Amino acid sequence: MQSFTEDHSKALLAKEWLVKVDSRTSTPYLFKFSYSSVDLTACILVTDTKTALAEVLTSNQFARRWRMCNKLSISPLPDTDEEEAWRDRHLTLLGCAHSLGGFLELTLELEKPTLGDLALEMECNTWKWRWEPTFLGPQVSAEIISKHLIMPLISVNHLAFSSSNVLGDLAPENLEKATDKVGRTARRTVDTHIRNALSRPRVATTLRRMTAMFNFLPELPAIITDAGTPDLRAPTADKISSPKIIARYSEHKPHDYDMKPLQEPTPPKMPQLEDSATESESEGAPKQWTVLASPTPSQLPVSGQPPPASLSKDASPALPGRSRSRTEVPVSESDSSLARPNKKLKHPEGSDNDDSEEERKRRAAAIKSGAAAKRGTRQPLKRGGKRF
């Protein structure tokens, strides 16, 4: 079995549609048949307006099937010319049967297919025939149905509605001229032809009402001749009532923590250290520790550099019997109260001779009587070392 090609489709363009209805399923089938007397081939196109099926038979296949359907000897005639003439006569007979007049004399029955997707058995008074077409696929089916059925129907419909005369009353010659005129215009500009054929109110509404009637709609649309022009202007802002948006704002009540101003953290105050009661008073009244202001960030020592001697963390205690003195540094009023004591400077050892026994006794008596200044923390008395 040969494949259905574009050449077979072109050969079927000049053939008329034939209709047969299956009595058991009430399904209408449309047929197009063509044959060639040159190579003795036959082609059939079948559709139910939804799918398309086709079958192409060669000369040998046609002869074998005819003999099988009519229960004849399968073997061909011994003479080749006689066999070819026999095939030509029976193929012409089959072509006459697939005509408008001969197709009415045939009966159609659906049978179980053995080779294709559909089996159609046709019977006449003296012979039988069987077609077994195969499905062409959805894309090819759509193209064939559109080319062979839908587009011609649209053009004929346009001819029927645009003609001033009734097509049924025209003579065949006049109807051919009118058909050719519409066809020539349609094939030049297919898009314009489709638009003019279906955009007329009378045609469009008639087609709409026929569609609704054919599909059992309860309410049928009316057929109109003038569609009119609706107002296609966009609505303005005055006609659009926009919904009011009500925004609710929650009142913010200030709390106690909102009213408190930000305060800088106060550095802890360090108590001022007083000098020990055992220190020397050779320079007058007993000297006290001098409080230094905390250095500002710009005054901090750079990493890797030793701090200056005047900013020592703690003052080392003096040796027994030696007097200690302090280097007083003025305290800035803008600096905080956090300070570090100055580093005690070592005096030469010759100052040990200034201490005397009488001075130590006088200072001890003053401490006992309470005449000395009060100290923050009571320090134990340091006795002087023995003199050698």
Side-chain angles (χ1 to χ4, degrees):
M1 184 183 300
Q2 293 183 354
S3 301
F4 185 82
T5 61
E6 185 69 23
D7 295 335
H8 298 104
S9 178
K10 290 181 178 179
L12 293 171
L13 290 174
K15 302 299 179 178
E16 65 275 9
W17 282 105
L18 308 173
V19 183
K20 278 292 180 181
V21 179
D22 180 29
S23 59
R24 288 182 294 182
T25 60
S26 300
T27 303
Y29 289 98
L30 280 70
F31 298 86
K32 271 192 173 186
F33 173 78
S34 69
Y35 72 98
S36 174
S37 60
V38 178
D39 53 359
L40 301 178
T41 58
C43 176
I44 189 71
L45 175 65
V46 185
T47 179
D48 58 351
T49 68
K50 300 175 183 178
T51 58
L53 303 93
E55 185 181 17
V56 180
L57 296 177
T58 62
S59 177
N60 294 333
Q61 291 172 347
F62 168 74
R64 186 182 304 112
R65 182 172 296 183
W66 183 276
R67 288 185 170 100
M68 290 178 61
C69 292
N70 295 278
K71 298 179 181 181
L72 299 176
S73 176
I74 299 178
S75 59
L77 299 177
D79 190 358
T80 307
D81 295 337
E82 293 182 0
E83 177 65 23
E84 185 175 353
W86 180 88
R87 294 180 182 180
D88 188 20
R89 288 194 303 268
H90 287 81
L91 187 58
T92 305
L93 175 62
L94 187 63
C96 293
H98 287 78
S99 61
L100 291 174
F103 207 66
L104 298 177
E105 303 297 329
L106 300 178
T107 59
L108 176 67
E109 291 185 2
L110 291 180
E111 300 293 339
K112 185 177 180 180
T114 57
L115 299 176
D117 298 324
L118 185 66
L120 301 170
E121 188 170 324
M122 301 178 182
E123 184 177 358
C124 190
N125 295 331
T126 58
W127 53 270
K128 294 182 181 180
W129 181 250
R130 181 185 179 96
W131 289 111
E132 290 196 17
T134 56
F135 179 53
L136 296 178
Q139 184 175 359
V140 179
S141 298
E143 292 178 359
I144 290 178
I145 293 174
S146 175
K147 183 183 294 185
H148 289 261
L149 185 62
I150 295 178
M151 292 298 296
L153 282 178
I154 292 176
S155 300
V156 172
N157 178 77
H158 176 65
L159 175 62
F161 276 89
S162 60
S163 177
S164 57
N165 301 322
V166 180
L167 297 182
D169 298 339
L170 291 178
E173 296 80 8
N174 297 333
L175 185 58
E176 289 177 359
K177 293 180 181 179
T179 304
D180 295 343
K181 181 179 179 181
V182 173
R184 283 192 297 266
T185 306
R187 69 184 180 185
R188 283 198 300 265
T189 54
V190 180
D191 52 347
T192 306
H193 171 68
I194 297 296
R195 183 188 62 188
N196 296 335
L198 297 179
S199 60
R200 291 185 178 184
R202 186 185 296 273
V203 178
T205 55
T206 303
L207 185 62
R208 176 184 64 176
R209 187 176 181 89
M210 182 60 70
T211 304
M213 174 66 73
F214 195 81
N215 291 275
F216 303 97
L217 292 185
E219 297 181 2
L220 300 178
I223 296 177
I224 59 177
T225 57
D226 187 10
T229 304
D231 187 7
L232 300 179
R233 292 177 297 178
T236 59
D238 299 338
K239 298 180 181 180
I240 300 176
S241 58
S242 58
K244 296 182 179 180
I245 302 176
I246 301 175
R248 298 181 180 180
Y249 301 94
S250 59
E251 298 181 358
H252 177 71
K253 296 181 179 181
H255 299 279
D256 295 338
Y257 55 81
D258 296 335
M259 305 301 294
K260 292 181 180 180
L262 297 176
Q263 298 180 357
E264 297 182 357
T266 305
K269 296 181 180 181
M270 296 181 64
Q272 298 180 357
L273 300 178
E274 296 180 358
D275 198 359
S276 176
T278 59
E279 294 181 350
S280 173
E281 296 178 358
S282 60
E283 297 179 2
K287 296 181 180 180
Q288 298 180 353
W289 289 82
T290 304
V291 180
L292 292 177
S294 60
T296 59
S298 62
Q299 297 174 353
L300 292 176
V302 183
S303 176
Q305 298 179 1
S310 61
L311 298 177
S312 179
K313 291 183 179 180
D314 196 1
S316 59
L319 296 175
R322 297 179 184 178
S323 63
R324 295 173 296 179
S325 63
R326 303 286 183 269
T327 302
E328 295 182 3
V329 180
V331 180
S332 177
E333 296 178 359
S334 62
D335 296 333
S336 60
S337 62
L338 181 62
R340 298 179 180 177
N342 291 334
K343 183 178 180 182
K344 295 181 180 180
L345 300 178
K346 294 183 180 181
H347 295 278
E349 295 180 357
S351 63
D352 293 341
N353 298 329
D354 296 337
D355 295 335
S356 63
E357 192 70 24
E358 294 179 357
E359 292 178 357
R360 287 194 296 272
K361 290 181 180 181
R362 185 175 65 249
R363 291 176 63 185
I367 293 171
K368 291 180 180 180
S369 61
K374 294 183 179 180
R375 293 172 296 177
T377 305
R378 188 174 184 83
Q379 300 290 338
L381 298 178
K382 294 183 179 181
R383 306 295 182 182
K386 293 182 181 181
R387 301 183 67 178
F388 298 97

